[in-house]
Amino acid sequence: MPEYMIAFNDEWVAEHTMEQLRQKSAASKAVLDEMKAAGVFVYANGGIDASTALFSVEAEHGDAVFTDGPYVETKEHIGGFTVIDVADDEAARYWAGRVAVCLDWPQEVHRFPDPRRFEE
């Protein structure tokens, strides 16, 4: 089965109070528990934004070059994501819809390519 990432950018989310964030956390945990019960859950994490970025790394002449800042210039930072393993795009739509509704903020869905495409 293909894996999908359901994610949101931190900039898509309005400011929330700590109590609102706790409520969103509880609501999303309920959906994640449903994913686990359905056997489609792989991994999830959230609460990340520009302030959680530690460093960037680039390849330069065959060496890894680490920078504590400035980071790659972008106005968007991932805020959280969930990886699911489902049969098809429709199943991914279902779960992404559940996440979007429980959090009440937009989600973006990516299908991970089949890793066998690189095999000979």
Side-chain angles (χ1 to χ4, degrees):
M1 291 195 298
E3 291 181 342
Y4 295 79
M5 180 179 69
I6 304 166
F8 66 91
N9 283 345
D10 188 53
E11 289 72 23
W12 300 347
V13 181
E15 289 294 320
H16 285 68
T17 65
M18 189 52 70
E19 181 56 32
Q20 289 171 315
L21 290 173
R22 286 187 190 103
Q23 291 170 354
K24 300 285 184 172
S25 178
S28 65
K29 183 184 179 315
V31 174
L32 295 178
D33 287 344
E34 288 181 45
M35 289 177 179
K36 290 173 187 175
V40 302
F41 178 83
V42 175
Y43 181 79
N45 209 328
I48 53 179
D49 59 22
S51 71
T52 61
L54 297 176
F55 53 81
S56 62
V57 61
E58 294 184 61
E60 195 171 291
H61 308 292
D63 293 320
V65 178
F66 295 87
T67 305
D68 289 336
Y71 305 105
V72 176
E73 288 194 33
T74 181
K75 293 181 180 179
E76 295 185 348
H77 298 275
I78 193 162
F81 63 93
T82 302
V83 177
I84 57 174
D85 189 359
V86 295
D88 54 32
D89 292 358
E90 285 305 308
R93 282 178 180 271
Y94 170 78
W95 290 112
R98 297 291 314 280
V99 171
V101 168
C102 85
L103 292 174
D104 194 27
W105 57 63
Q107 303 293 311
E108 183 173 275
V109 178
H110 295 262
R111 182 182 336 106
F112 288 104
D114 186 339
R116 295 173 293 183
R117 74 185 191 285
F118 295 114
E119 297 174 3
E120 292 186 57

